[in-house]
Amino acid sequence: MYSDLISFVRDWYQTDQLIPLHEPRFKNVDKEYVADAIDSTFVSSVGEYVTKFEHELGHYLGVNNVVAMVNGTTALQLALKIAGVREGHEVITQPLTFVATANAIVHNNANPVFVDVNKETLGLCPDALSRFLDQNAEKKNGKAFNKETCKLISAIVPMHTFGLPCKIKEIVEIAENWDIPVVEDSAEALGSKVSSQHCGTFGKIGILSFNGNKIITCGGGGAIITNDDKLANRAKHLTTTAKVNHQWDYAHDEIGYNFRMSNLNAALACAQFTQLEGILKDKRELSNSYSLFLKDVEWCDYVKEPEGCTSNYWLNAVITSGKKERDELLRITNDSGITTRPAWQLMSDLKMFKDCQKGELDNAKWLRDRIVNLPSSARNNV
Ligand SMILES: Cc1ncc(COP(=O)(O)O)c(C=O)c1O
Protein backbone atom coordinates (compact mmCIF):
# COMPACT_ATOMS: atom_id res chain seq x y z
CA MET A 1 0.00 0.00 0.00
CA TYR A 2 2.85 2.39 0.79
CA SER A 3 5.10 1.46 -2.16
CA ASP A 4 3.85 4.44 -4.20
CA LEU A 5 4.83 6.78 -1.38
CA ILE A 6 8.26 5.19 -1.16
CA SER A 7 8.77 5.64 -4.93
CA PHE A 8 7.48 9.22 -4.73
CA VAL A 9 10.00 10.14 -2.02
CA ARG A 10 12.86 8.36 -3.79
CA ASP A 11 12.02 10.16 -7.07
CA TRP A 12 11.89 13.50 -5.30
CA TYR A 13 15.29 13.13 -3.69
CA GLN A 14 16.77 11.10 -6.58
CA THR A 15 18.62 8.63 -4.35
CA ASP A 16 18.69 4.95 -3.40
CA GLN A 17 20.41 5.79 -0.11
CA LEU A 18 18.78 6.35 3.28
CA ILE A 19 16.50 9.40 3.13
CA PRO A 20 16.60 11.33 6.42
CA LEU A 21 13.63 13.14 7.90
CA HIS A 22 15.31 16.52 7.71
CA GLU A 23 18.95 17.14 6.93
CA PRO A 24 20.80 20.45 6.72
CA ARG A 25 21.90 21.79 3.35
CA PHE A 26 25.34 23.34 3.01
CA LYS A 27 26.92 25.20 0.12
CA ASN A 28 30.32 26.81 -0.47
CA VAL A 29 29.10 30.08 0.97
CA ASP A 30 28.71 28.36 4.36
CA LYS A 31 32.36 27.32 4.36
CA GLU A 32 33.48 30.77 3.20
CA TYR A 33 31.67 32.62 6.00
CA VAL A 34 32.93 30.22 8.68
CA ALA A 35 36.51 30.46 7.35
CA ASP A 36 36.20 34.23 7.47
CA ALA A 37 35.12 34.13 11.11
CA ILE A 38 38.10 31.90 11.93
CA ASP A 39 40.47 34.23 10.07
CA SER A 40 39.12 37.18 12.03
CA THR A 41 40.03 35.34 15.30
CA PHE A 42 36.67 36.51 16.70
CA VAL A 43 35.13 33.11 17.28
CA SER A 44 33.29 33.60 20.58
CA SER A 45 30.34 35.77 21.46
CA VAL A 46 31.83 39.08 20.32
CA GLY A 47 32.04 39.56 16.58
CA GLU A 48 30.57 41.14 13.52
CA TYR A 49 28.63 38.11 12.39
CA VAL A 50 26.56 38.06 15.60
CA THR A 51 25.44 41.65 15.02
CA LYS A 52 24.98 41.10 11.28
CA PHE A 53 22.79 38.06 11.87
CA GLU A 54 20.70 39.89 14.45
CA HIS A 55 20.14 42.85 12.12
CA GLU A 56 19.35 40.82 9.02
CA LEU A 57 17.00 38.48 10.86
CA GLY A 58 15.27 41.42 12.57
CA HIS A 59 14.75 43.13 9.22
CA TYR A 60 13.36 39.95 7.64
CA LEU A 61 10.97 39.35 10.53
CA GLY A 62 9.94 42.99 10.81
CA VAL A 63 10.86 43.05 14.48
CA ASN A 64 12.88 45.65 16.43
CA ASN A 65 15.19 43.31 18.28
CA VAL A 66 16.85 39.94 17.83
CA VAL A 67 19.16 38.50 20.47
CA ALA A 68 21.16 35.58 19.06
CA MET A 69 21.72 32.77 21.53
CA VAL A 70 23.37 29.36 21.86
CA ASN A 71 20.18 27.41 21.16
CA GLY A 72 16.40 27.55 21.17
CA THR A 73 16.04 25.95 24.59
CA THR A 74 18.10 28.64 26.36
CA ALA A 75 16.30 31.30 24.29
CA LEU A 76 12.97 30.02 25.63
CA GLN A 77 14.31 29.72 29.18
CA LEU A 78 15.50 33.32 29.11
CA ALA A 79 12.42 34.61 27.26
CA LEU A 80 10.26 33.21 30.05
CA LYS A 81 12.50 34.75 32.70
CA ILE A 82 12.41 38.23 31.19
CA ALA A 83 8.66 37.89 30.62
CA GLY A 84 8.38 37.55 34.41
CA VAL A 85 8.18 33.80 35.05
CA ARG A 86 9.51 32.98 38.52
CA GLU A 87 9.75 30.07 40.93
CA GLY A 88 6.35 28.62 41.81
CA HIS A 89 4.49 30.24 38.90
CA GLU A 90 2.44 28.31 36.36
CA VAL A 91 2.93 28.48 32.59
CA ILE A 92 0.29 27.20 30.18
CA THR A 93 1.52 25.33 27.12
CA GLN A 94 0.50 22.53 24.79
CA PRO A 95 1.23 18.85 25.47
CA LEU A 96 2.02 18.14 21.81
CA THR A 97 5.46 19.71 21.54
CA PHE A 98 9.15 18.95 21.75
CA VAL A 99 10.35 18.43 25.32
CA ALA A 100 12.38 21.68 25.28
CA THR A 101 9.16 23.72 25.59
CA ALA A 102 8.27 22.13 28.91
CA ASN A 103 11.89 21.89 30.07
CA ALA A 104 12.41 25.65 29.63
CA ILE A 105 9.45 26.28 31.96
CA VAL A 106 10.94 24.02 34.62
CA HIS A 107 14.38 25.60 34.14
CA ASN A 108 12.68 28.71 35.59
CA ASN A 109 11.39 26.59 38.51
CA ALA A 110 7.82 27.11 37.27
CA ASN A 111 5.18 24.45 36.61
CA PRO A 112 3.89 23.62 33.13
CA VAL A 113 0.11 23.32 32.73
CA PHE A 114 -1.05 21.48 29.61
CA VAL A 115 -3.99 22.65 27.49
CA ASP A 116 -5.28 20.92 24.36
CA VAL A 117 -4.35 21.61 20.73
CA ASN A 118 -6.42 22.11 17.54
CA LYS A 119 -6.71 19.16 15.19
CA GLU A 120 -6.29 21.54 12.26
CA THR A 121 -3.24 23.57 13.37
CA LEU A 122 -1.71 21.01 15.77
CA GLY A 123 -0.99 24.01 18.02
CA LEU A 124 -2.55 25.38 21.23
CA CYS A 125 -6.34 25.62 20.85
CA PRO A 126 -7.81 29.05 21.72
CA ASP A 127 -11.17 27.53 22.73
CA ALA A 128 -9.50 25.04 25.06
CA LEU A 129 -7.34 27.83 26.49
CA SER A 130 -10.32 30.07 27.07
CA ARG A 131 -12.28 27.24 28.68
CA PHE A 132 -9.37 26.27 30.90
CA LEU A 133 -8.89 29.84 32.13
CA ASP A 134 -12.62 30.42 32.68
CA GLN A 135 -12.86 27.24 34.74
CA ASN A 136 -9.57 27.37 36.63
CA ALA A 137 -8.37 30.96 36.88
CA GLU A 138 -9.41 34.14 38.63
CA LYS A 139 -8.09 37.66 38.40
CA LYS A 140 -6.67 39.31 41.51
CA ASN A 141 -5.11 42.79 41.33
CA GLY A 142 -5.12 42.52 37.54
CA LYS A 143 -3.21 39.22 37.47
CA ALA A 144 -4.38 35.69 36.69
CA PHE A 145 -4.17 33.11 39.46
CA ASN A 146 -5.02 29.43 39.41
CA LYS A 147 -8.07 29.14 41.72
CA GLU A 148 -7.05 25.74 43.05
CA THR A 149 -3.30 26.13 43.51
CA CYS A 150 -3.39 29.91 44.14
CA LYS A 151 -0.32 30.20 41.89
CA LEU A 152 0.26 33.02 39.44
CA ILE A 153 -0.17 32.05 35.79
CA SER A 154 2.70 34.12 34.43
CA ALA A 155 2.96 33.09 30.77
CA ILE A 156 1.26 31.22 27.93
CA VAL A 157 3.55 29.39 25.48
CA PRO A 158 1.90 28.36 22.21
CA MET A 159 4.04 26.45 19.71
CA HIS A 160 3.83 26.47 15.90
CA THR A 161 3.98 22.73 15.38
CA PHE A 162 6.12 21.55 12.44
CA GLY A 163 6.02 25.16 11.16
CA LEU A 164 2.20 25.25 10.86
CA PRO A 165 1.04 28.54 12.37
CA CYS A 166 -1.23 28.07 15.38
CA LYS A 167 -4.21 30.38 15.99
CA ILE A 168 -1.86 32.92 17.49
CA LYS A 169 -4.05 36.03 17.07
CA GLU A 170 -6.89 34.44 19.01
CA ILE A 171 -4.48 33.16 21.67
CA VAL A 172 -2.92 36.61 22.13
CA GLU A 173 -6.40 38.16 22.46
CA ILE A 174 -7.40 35.69 25.19
CA ALA A 175 -4.06 36.19 26.95
CA GLU A 176 -4.50 39.97 26.85
CA ASN A 177 -7.93 39.67 28.46
CA TRP A 178 -6.30 37.75 31.30
CA ASP A 179 -3.16 39.95 31.39
CA ILE A 180 -0.89 36.98 30.80
CA PRO A 181 2.15 37.51 28.53
CA VAL A 182 2.50 35.24 25.49
CA VAL A 183 5.93 33.79 24.79
CA GLU A 184 5.78 32.23 21.33
CA ASP A 185 7.77 29.07 20.79
CA SER A 186 8.54 29.54 17.10
CA ALA A 187 11.53 27.22 17.16
CA GLU A 188 10.14 25.35 14.15
CA ALA A 189 8.53 28.25 12.36
CA LEU A 190 11.11 30.55 10.77
CA GLY A 191 9.44 31.79 7.56
CA SER A 192 5.90 30.88 8.67
CA LYS A 193 3.32 33.66 8.72
CA VAL A 194 -0.21 34.51 9.73
CA SER A 195 -1.54 36.88 7.06
CA SER A 196 1.71 38.68 6.31
CA GLN A 197 3.09 38.75 9.86
CA HIS A 198 5.87 36.39 10.87
CA CYS A 199 5.31 33.76 13.53
CA GLY A 200 7.22 34.64 16.67
CA THR A 201 6.30 38.34 16.46
CA PHE A 202 2.75 38.19 17.86
CA GLY A 203 3.49 37.65 21.55
CA LYS A 204 5.49 39.73 23.98
CA ILE A 205 8.55 37.66 23.06
CA GLY A 206 9.20 34.90 20.52
CA ILE A 207 12.01 32.42 20.09
CA LEU A 208 13.62 30.58 17.18
CA SER A 209 15.95 27.60 16.89
CA PHE A 210 18.78 27.02 14.42
CA ASN A 211 19.51 23.47 15.47
CA GLY A 212 20.87 21.08 12.83
CA ASN A 213 17.40 19.76 12.08
CA LYS A 214 15.80 23.19 11.56
CA ILE A 215 15.01 25.05 8.34
CA ILE A 216 18.35 26.88 8.49
CA THR A 217 21.04 25.89 10.94
CA CYS A 218 24.24 27.12 12.48
CA GLY A 219 24.96 23.83 14.25
CA GLY A 220 23.40 25.01 17.48
CA GLY A 221 21.72 28.36 17.79
CA GLY A 222 18.61 30.21 18.84
CA ALA A 223 17.21 33.71 19.11
CA ILE A 224 14.92 35.84 21.19
CA ILE A 225 12.79 38.19 19.09
CA THR A 226 10.84 41.10 20.52
CA ASN A 227 9.63 44.60 19.74
CA ASP A 228 10.21 45.59 23.34
CA ASP A 229 13.61 47.34 23.50
CA LYS A 230 13.81 47.09 27.28
CA LEU A 231 13.31 43.33 27.24
CA ALA A 232 15.85 42.94 24.44
CA ASN A 233 18.45 44.94 26.38
CA ARG A 234 17.77 42.83 29.43
CA ALA A 235 18.17 39.65 27.36
CA LYS A 236 21.49 40.89 25.92
CA HIS A 237 22.76 41.77 29.39
CA LEU A 238 21.74 38.50 31.00
CA THR A 239 23.02 36.32 28.14
CA THR A 240 26.47 37.89 28.33
CA THR A 241 27.07 37.06 32.01
CA ALA A 242 25.44 40.33 33.13
CA LYS A 243 28.76 42.09 32.48
CA VAL A 244 28.68 45.83 32.99
CA ASN A 245 29.75 47.54 29.79
CA HIS A 246 33.27 48.93 30.25
CA GLN A 247 36.40 49.05 28.10
CA TRP A 248 38.58 47.01 30.46
CA ASP A 249 36.89 46.52 33.82
CA TYR A 250 35.25 43.21 34.61
CA ALA A 251 32.19 43.78 36.77
CA HIS A 252 28.91 41.88 36.77
CA ASP A 253 25.80 43.24 38.41
CA GLU A 254 23.69 40.08 38.76
CA ILE A 255 23.78 36.34 38.12
CA GLY A 256 23.96 36.08 34.34
CA TYR A 257 24.25 33.35 31.76
CA ASN A 258 26.76 32.48 29.04
CA PHE A 259 23.97 32.06 26.49
CA ARG A 260 25.07 34.36 23.63
CA MET A 261 25.59 32.88 20.15
CA SER A 262 29.27 32.62 19.16
CA ASN A 263 30.61 34.53 16.16
CA LEU A 264 31.61 31.21 14.60
CA ASN A 265 28.03 29.94 14.76
CA ALA A 266 26.74 33.34 13.66
CA ALA A 267 28.94 33.22 10.55
CA LEU A 268 27.24 29.97 9.56
CA ALA A 269 23.87 31.44 10.48
CA CYS A 270 24.50 34.44 8.18
CA ALA A 271 25.51 32.18 5.31
CA GLN A 272 22.46 29.97 5.81
CA PHE A 273 20.24 33.02 6.01
CA THR A 274 21.23 33.96 2.44
CA GLN A 275 19.68 30.62 1.37
CA LEU A 276 16.47 30.83 3.38
CA GLU A 277 14.20 31.97 0.54
CA GLY A 278 15.48 29.18 -1.74
CA ILE A 279 14.99 26.59 0.99
CA LEU A 280 11.45 27.84 1.70
CA LYS A 281 10.63 27.70 -2.00
CA ASP A 282 11.86 24.14 -2.38
CA LYS A 283 10.00 23.04 0.73
CA ARG A 284 6.80 24.60 -0.60
CA GLU A 285 7.24 22.69 -3.87
CA LEU A 286 7.65 19.48 -1.91
CA SER A 287 4.57 20.23 0.15
CA ASN A 288 2.52 20.92 -2.99
CA SER A 289 3.71 17.64 -4.45
CA TYR A 290 2.96 15.63 -1.30
CA SER A 291 -0.44 17.26 -1.10
CA LEU A 292 -1.27 16.39 -4.71
CA PHE A 293 0.13 12.89 -4.47
CA LEU A 294 -1.74 12.12 -1.23
CA LYS A 295 -5.00 13.79 -2.29
CA ASP A 296 -6.80 10.62 -3.23
CA VAL A 297 -5.17 8.03 -0.96
CA GLU A 298 -7.47 6.55 1.64
CA TRP A 299 -4.93 5.78 4.32
CA CYS A 300 -4.08 9.33 5.37
CA ASP A 301 -4.88 13.03 5.28
CA TYR A 302 -2.08 15.42 4.42
CA VAL A 303 -1.83 18.31 6.93
CA LYS A 304 -2.09 21.56 4.96
CA GLU A 305 -1.31 25.08 6.20
CA PRO A 306 -4.33 26.63 7.91
CA GLU A 307 -6.32 29.12 5.85
CA GLY A 308 -4.86 32.64 5.74
CA CYS A 309 -1.51 31.29 6.94
CA THR A 310 1.80 30.43 5.32
CA SER A 311 3.63 27.43 6.70
CA ASN A 312 7.36 26.98 6.20
CA TYR A 313 6.52 23.26 5.95
CA TRP A 314 9.48 22.48 8.16
CA LEU A 315 8.16 18.94 8.63
CA ASN A 316 5.43 17.54 6.41
CA ALA A 317 2.83 15.58 8.34
CA VAL A 318 0.03 13.16 7.59
CA ILE A 319 -2.77 11.92 9.81
CA THR A 320 -3.32 8.17 9.53
CA SER A 321 -6.58 6.46 10.39
CA GLY A 322 -5.33 5.07 13.70
CA LYS A 323 -2.40 3.90 15.80
CA LYS A 324 -2.17 0.51 14.08
CA GLU A 325 -2.07 2.13 10.64
CA ARG A 326 0.43 4.73 11.88
CA ASP A 327 2.79 2.03 13.16
CA GLU A 328 2.48 0.08 9.93
CA LEU A 329 3.39 3.16 7.88
CA LEU A 330 6.34 3.89 10.18
CA ARG A 331 7.58 0.30 9.96
CA ILE A 332 7.31 -0.09 6.21
CA THR A 333 8.85 3.26 5.33
CA ASN A 334 11.71 3.03 7.82
CA ASP A 335 12.43 -0.55 6.70
CA SER A 336 12.71 0.83 3.15
CA GLY A 337 15.23 3.52 4.08
CA ILE A 338 12.69 6.34 4.14
CA THR A 339 12.88 8.01 7.54
CA THR A 340 9.46 8.79 8.98
CA ARG A 341 8.62 9.60 12.57
CA PRO A 342 5.60 9.71 14.88
CA ALA A 343 4.77 12.88 16.79
CA TRP A 344 6.46 13.34 20.13
CA GLN A 345 4.99 11.57 23.13
CA LEU A 346 2.71 14.00 24.91
CA MET A 347 4.52 16.03 27.57
CA SER A 348 1.73 15.15 30.01
CA ASP A 349 2.66 11.46 29.63
CA LEU A 350 6.37 11.92 30.37
CA LYS A 351 7.31 10.94 33.92
CA MET A 352 8.74 14.40 34.69
CA PHE A 353 5.46 16.13 33.83
CA LYS A 354 2.81 13.52 34.57
CA ASP A 355 1.67 15.22 37.77
CA CYS A 356 1.29 18.64 36.13
CA GLN A 357 -2.19 20.10 35.86
CA LYS A 358 -3.91 19.59 32.51
CA GLY A 359 -7.15 20.28 30.74
CA GLU A 360 -9.02 17.78 28.56
CA LEU A 361 -6.42 16.62 26.04
CA ASP A 362 -8.64 14.70 23.61
CA ASN A 363 -7.24 16.27 20.42
CA ALA A 364 -3.63 15.91 21.51
CA LYS A 365 -4.18 12.23 22.32
CA TRP A 366 -5.99 11.65 19.04
CA LEU A 367 -3.18 13.32 17.08
CA ARG A 368 -0.42 11.58 19.02
CA ASP A 369 -1.70 8.23 17.81
CA ARG A 370 -2.05 9.26 14.17
CA ILE A 371 0.62 11.77 13.10
CA VAL A 372 3.48 10.66 10.88
CA ASN A 373 6.16 13.08 9.67
CA LEU A 374 7.48 12.47 6.17
CA PRO A 375 10.94 13.34 4.78
CA SER A 376 11.06 17.12 4.42
CA SER A 377 14.62 18.29 3.65
CA ALA A 378 15.20 20.91 0.99
CA ARG A 379 16.99 19.28 -1.93
CA ASN A 380 20.70 19.83 -2.28
CA ASN A 381 20.76 20.47 -5.98
CA VAL A 382 18.27 23.36 -6.10
C1 LIG B 1 9.18 23.32 19.66
C2 LIG B 1 10.62 23.44 20.01
N1 LIG B 1 10.96 24.22 21.04
C3 LIG B 1 12.23 24.38 21.39
C4 LIG B 1 13.25 23.74 20.71
C5 LIG B 1 14.63 23.89 21.22
O1 LIG B 1 15.55 24.33 20.29
P1 LIG B 1 17.07 23.88 20.39
O2 LIG B 1 17.18 22.47 19.92
O3 LIG B 1 17.77 24.84 19.49
O4 LIG B 1 17.51 24.02 21.79
C6 LIG B 1 12.93 22.92 19.61
C7 LIG B 1 13.90 22.25 18.78
O5 LIG B 1 14.80 21.64 18.89
C8 LIG B 1 11.58 22.75 19.26
O6 LIG B 1 11.22 21.96 18.25
Side-chain angles (χ1 to χ4, degrees):
M1 178 156 78
Y2 305 118
S3 56
D4 285 353
L5 174 68
I6 291 165
S7 309
F8 169 88
V9 176
R10 289 220 169 277
D11 279 356
W12 187 262
Y13 288 108
Q14 298 275 299
T15 179
D16 296 333
Q17 307 292 307
L18 178 84
I19 298 179
L21 190 68
H22 200 285
E23 65 179 349
R25 193 181 82 165
F26 296 116
K27 306 251 171 185
N28 277 341
V29 63
D30 297 303
K31 293 180 190 163
E32 284 160 18
Y33 275 51
V34 173
D36 186 55
I38 293 171
D39 289 344
S40 78
T41 74
F42 286 94
V43 290
S44 289
S45 56
V46 176
E48 284 178 6
Y49 281 113
V50 180
T51 336
K52 179 176 160 66
F53 183 55
E54 290 177 342
H55 282 147
E56 289 179 354
L57 186 58
H59 185 253
Y60 171 77
L61 295 169
V63 78
N64 287 350
N65 305 282
V66 173
V67 183
M69 297 183 54
V70 290
N71 56 46
T73 309
T74 54
L76 190 55
Q77 178 186 340
L78 207 84
L80 290 166
K81 184 180 169 77
I82 61 177
V85 174
R86 297 286 177 272
E87 181 165 2
H89 291 181
E90 292 183 353
V91 175
I92 295 176
T93 191
Q94 57 196 66
L96 185 75
T97 185
F98 179 57
V99 70
T101 315
N103 282 347
I105 296 168
V106 179
H107 291 152
N108 281 290
N109 300 311
N111 305 309
V113 172
F114 300 109
V115 168
D116 210 0
V117 293
N118 277 117
K119 277 188 184 172
E120 181 204 5
T121 67
L122 317 182
L124 189 64
C125 170
D127 291 340
L129 175 65
S130 198
R131 221 171 20 250
F132 181 88
L133 287 166
D134 287 345
Q135 284 168 4
N136 297 284
E138 62 186 344
K139 253 192 175 175
K140 279 193 237 157
N141 301 326
K143 302 218 174 251
F145 286 84
N146 186 319
K147 280 194 271 194
E148 203 182 301
T149 62
C150 301
K151 290 181 174 166
L152 180 71
I153 304 171
S154 58
I156 296 173
V157 185
M159 198 279 274
H160 304 287
T161 308
F162 310 141
L164 298 159
C166 68
K167 292 180 186 283
I168 189 68
K169 285 186 183 169
E170 293 87 330
I171 291 167
V172 168
E173 202 181 310
I174 295 163
E176 274 170 4
N177 285 337
W178 282 93
D179 272 312
I180 308 174
V182 169
V183 175
E184 243 179 295
D185 185 345
S186 298
E188 307 179 354
L190 176 62
S192 298
K193 293 178 197 165
V194 177
S195 311
S196 54
Q197 188 176 339
H198 281 274
C199 288
T201 67
F202 288 86
K204 192 179 175 102
I205 313 176
I207 71 102
L208 293 165
S209 164
F210 309 105
N211 186 267
N213 66 352
K214 293 299 183 302
I215 193 146
I216 58 168
T217 183
C218 59
I224 281 183
I225 53 187
T226 180
N227 279 315
D228 187 322
D229 298 348
K230 256 197 180 154
L231 289 181
N233 287 337
R234 178 117 186 88
K236 279 186 188 154
H237 186 59
L238 281 174
T239 51
T240 43
T241 64
K243 184 177 176 298
V244 181
N245 203 6
H246 191 277
Q247 200 177 357
W248 60 79
D249 200 22
Y250 259 81
H252 306 260
D253 59 5
E254 60 186 307
I255 303 286
Y257 304 82
N258 184 10
F259 279 177
R260 209 68 197 287
M261 183 184 278
S262 83
N263 200 44
L264 203 54
N265 290 102
L268 184 52
C270 286
Q272 287 268 297
F273 189 64
T274 63
Q275 302 161 62
L276 177 61
E277 286 305 335
I279 290 173
L280 285 170
K281 186 165 168 279
D282 194 51
K283 288 172 81 70
R284 180 152 287 271
E285 271 177 38
L286 173 57
S287 137
N288 287 339
S289 299
Y290 268 137
S291 169
L292 201 64
F293 169 73
L294 294 168
K295 193 162 60 88
D296 297 322
V297 304
E298 274 166 18
W299 48 268
C300 78
D301 287 323
Y302 178 73
V303 184
K304 285 204 190 115
E305 61 198 0
E307 214 163 304
C309 297
T310 309
S311 175
N312 65 3
Y313 285 111
W314 171 56
L315 287 186
N316 289 281
V318 293
I319 311 275
T320 57
S321 42
K323 195 166 186 285
K324 199 167 127 262
E325 293 77 6
R326 178 199 71 173
D327 291 346
E328 173 113 325
L329 173 60
L330 288 167
R331 186 179 56 74
I332 293 176
T333 45
N334 281 291
D335 282 353
S336 312
I338 309 281
T339 311
T340 57
R341 201 183 69 184
W344 313 275
Q345 287 187 25
L346 299 185
M347 294 305 104
S348 43
D349 290 337
L350 299 183
K351 68 171 186 225
M352 309 83 83
F353 306 120
K354 71 174 175 28
D355 295 331
C356 293
Q357 191 177 359
K358 48 188 175 282
E360 300 289 324
L361 302 180
D362 294 349
N363 289 346
K365 288 178 192 163
W366 189 90
L367 288 164
R368 172 201 59 198
D369 290 345
R370 288 168 177 80
I371 289 175
V372 173
N373 289 126
L374 302 177
S376 299
S377 316
R379 289 167 296 183
N380 232 325
N381 53 349
V382 291

